[in-house]
Amino acid sequence: MRVLFVCLGNICRSPTAEGVFRQRLSAAGLETQVTVDSAGTGDWHVGKAPDRRTTLAAQRRSYDLSTLRARQFVAEDFQRFDLILAMDTSNLRDVQALRPANATAETDLFLRRYQLALDEVPDPYYGGEDGFEQVLDLVEQASDALLDEIRRRL
Ligand code: 4NP
């Protein structure tokens, strides 16, 4: 099972999802059975570590994002992953636009897939500190639901 999280810059929401979900997998002893990565539809931050506000908010909840580096989503990701989970509808649209004819991956909105209170993870980049806490709250809930799904599918 291979899961890819996608947002716009790959420095706030999708690295948070990668870090939180890796922790969930590790706690469940499933880290060797599931491949996890994240990517951004845009290329502005390629090679950079996550946003400092994202890293600090995650650190306060004991998630270590320090080794992550941003990369851009590419069409080949449709073969490299089984499940591509976008943070908002604009990210999902940008991903779908690159879908090759032979694509095998399933695509979905991360929150909508699990019928959480919101359908999208709001972009925290231009907002205040509470936006980063909200990203963590939503991503933690969805990661628990994703772990349940993966347990059923393995
Ligand atoms: P992300 O947040 O998509 O959650 O990583 C953003 C990061 C950077 C920008 C926008 C959103 N930006 O415009 O540079």
Side-chain angles (χ1 to χ4, degrees), residues 53-145:
R53 299 163 295 174
T54 291
T55 304
L56 289 175
Q59 210 171 65
R60 287 195 290 270
R61 298 192 195 189
S62 302
Y63 303 110
D64 178 17
L65 308 185
S66 65
T67 60
L68 303 181
R69 296 295 178 267
R71 74 163 176 96
Q72 190 170 24
F73 180 83
V74 290
E76 289 74 28
D77 287 320
F78 277 100
Q79 272 84 42
R80 293 187 193 134
F81 294 91
D82 303 301
L83 185 55
I84 297 171
L85 294 169
M87 298 298 134
D88 66 34
T89 51
S90 147
N91 307 147
L92 185 59
R93 203 165 39 238
D94 291 342
V95 162
Q96 302 284 26
L98 291 174
R99 187 179 188 92
N102 61 349
T104 49
E106 181 187 0
T107 57
D108 209 341
L109 276 183
F110 189 28
L111 302 188
R112 191 177 60 191
R113 186 173 185 83
Y114 304 110
Q115 287 141 29
L116 299 180
L118 299 180
D119 274 351
E120 306 181 288
V121 183
D123 186 345
Y125 192 69
Y126 294 106
E129 283 299 317
D130 53 339
F132 294 85
E133 296 300 327
Q134 186 189 25
V135 168
L136 276 160
D137 291 341
L138 293 167
V139 161
E140 285 181 331
Q141 291 170 42
S143 293
D144 289 337

Side-chain angles (χ1 to χ4, degrees), residues 27-43:
L30 293 174
E31 68 271 34
T32 58
Q33 298 197 56
V34 185
T35 297
V36 186
D37 196 11
S38 64
T41 57
D43 66 356

